[in-house]
Amino acid sequence: MKNNKIKLTFAALLLLFFITGKLVIGHYGHVFLDVNGGFLSILQVNSYYGDRGVFITDDKYIVSPANETSTDYEYNELISFNEFLKENNVGLLYVNKPTKYNDDTFFYDNFGYDSYCNRNADKFLKRINDAGIDYIDLRDNMRLENISCEDLFYRTDHHWTVKAGLWASNKIADKLNADYGYSIDTSLLDIENFSVNEWENCWLGEQGALLSESYVGLDDYTELKPNYDTSFIFEPDTKKSKTDTFDYFINEDVYQSTGRGPSWHYSYRRYGTVNNKIESGNILLLCDSYDNVVAPFLALGVHRVEPIVLRDCEEDFDLKKYILENDFDTVVISYAEFMIGAHDDESNANYKMFTFE
C-alpha cells in the first residue's frame, strides 16, 4: 500500500511538472519540451498535444486527424481542369496517396476522436470516378500487397519513407504504361537496382519535433541511389540549369544533424529534370512534399518530369498557360489524402492545392 501511494504521489508530481512545463515552453524552449516529453512517456499520455494536431499511439506512432469535408470545391475544380486538359489533348491521372492510417476507426478506437481523412478520400474518388476521371488509389495497392501504413511511414514524421516513394513511383509508372501510352522501363525502379544506405535512431521528424525525442524517440532512415549510370539536366528552364547524376537530387549534408534538426525527408529534393538517357515522356507532376521521394525516382524512367507545388506558386502563376507552353503530354496530380478539404480553411497551408485556375 505504501509503495502504491508513493507511485501515485510521484505520478501526480510529474503531471503537475509537465503541465507547468507546457505553459512555459514558449519562454524556455526545448529544455522544458524534452523534460515534458520524458514525463509524458513515463505516464503513457497519448493525446496531450492534440491541440497541436498530433496524437501518439502506445508504440509512439504519431498521427493527425482531418475534419469532414463535402469535397465540393476539389471536385468542381478538378472537373473544370480535366475539361481544359481534354480540349488540349493532355492526359490526367490523379494519384491518391495514403495518410498514416487507412481506416478512420483507427483514430476513434485509439483516441476517442473522429477523423475523416479516409472517408473524405473515399467520397472524392467516387465522385471523380463517376465523372470519368482516372485515378490510382494507393490504399488499394497496399491492401493487395498486404502493406501496412507502418511499413510506409516514419513514426515521428507525417511523410512517408524513401522506400515508399520508390514503391509509389513504380505504381505510377505501371499505370502510365498500361493506360497512357508510356513505355517506362520499370526495371529501373526495382529496388534490387539501388544501393541501400541505412541509419538507425538518427533523426526526429516534424511531428516528433512538436513533442520531443524523450517522448517519442528517434526514427530510422534509408537512402536509395540507383547503381546504374544516370544523367540529368536539372531545372532545365532556368539559368541555373546543371547536368549531373541522380546523386544531385540528394543533399547529404542534412544527415549531419542528429535528433532535432532539419527533417531528413527533405534531403531528397524536387527538381524539374530532363533525363538525358530517356527519349520519351513529358510529365507535369502537381504534387506535395511527399513527392520529394517520388519525383526523383519517376524521373529515372521519363524524359522530362516537372514537379510543381501549387501552394508555393506566386499569385500570378498561370498553370494552364504553363501547361500549353511546355507541351506536357500528361498531368499527374499526386496528393496526400489530407489535401482534400484543405480549402475549407483559408489559414490552412494547403488552401491553394486544388485551385487550378
Side-chain angles (χ1 to χ4, degrees), residues 62-117:
I62 307 174
V63 291
S64 297
N67 295 325
E68 186 175 15
T69 184
S70 70
T71 75
D72 287 347
Y73 183 84
E74 293 82 2
Y75 173 77
N76 291 329
E77 282 288 307
L78 193 59
I79 292 297
S80 176
F81 188 47
N82 185 48
E83 287 302 315
F84 161 78
L85 294 175
K86 285 198 297 185
E87 290 170 3
N88 290 281
N89 298 311
V90 180
L92 173 64
L93 172 63
Y94 187 88
V95 179
N96 183 65
K97 301 195 297 275
T99 187
K100 295 181 75 171
Y101 49 98
N102 279 348
D103 186 340
D104 292 336
T105 60
F106 162 89
F107 220 92
Y108 192 85
D109 291 346
N110 277 275
F111 311 111
Y113 187 93
D114 257 328
S115 176
Y116 289 86
C117 197

Side-chain angles (χ1 to χ4, degrees), residues 37-38 40-41 45-46 48-49 56 60 211-217:
L40 288 164
S41 182
V45 178
N46 293 343
Y48 186 65
Y49 285 100
I56 303 92
K60 308 306 181 188
L211 307 172
S212 77
E213 176 185 338
S214 60
Y215 193 175
V216 294

Side-chain angles (χ1 to χ4, degrees), residues 271-291:
Y271 287 119
T273 55
V274 165
N275 188 331
N276 293 319
K277 293 183 175 293
I278 305 293
E279 295 182 354
S280 63
N282 188 6
I283 293 174
L284 175 63
L285 181 66
L286 298 182
C287 58
D288 55 47
S289 56
Y290 278 38
D291 295 281

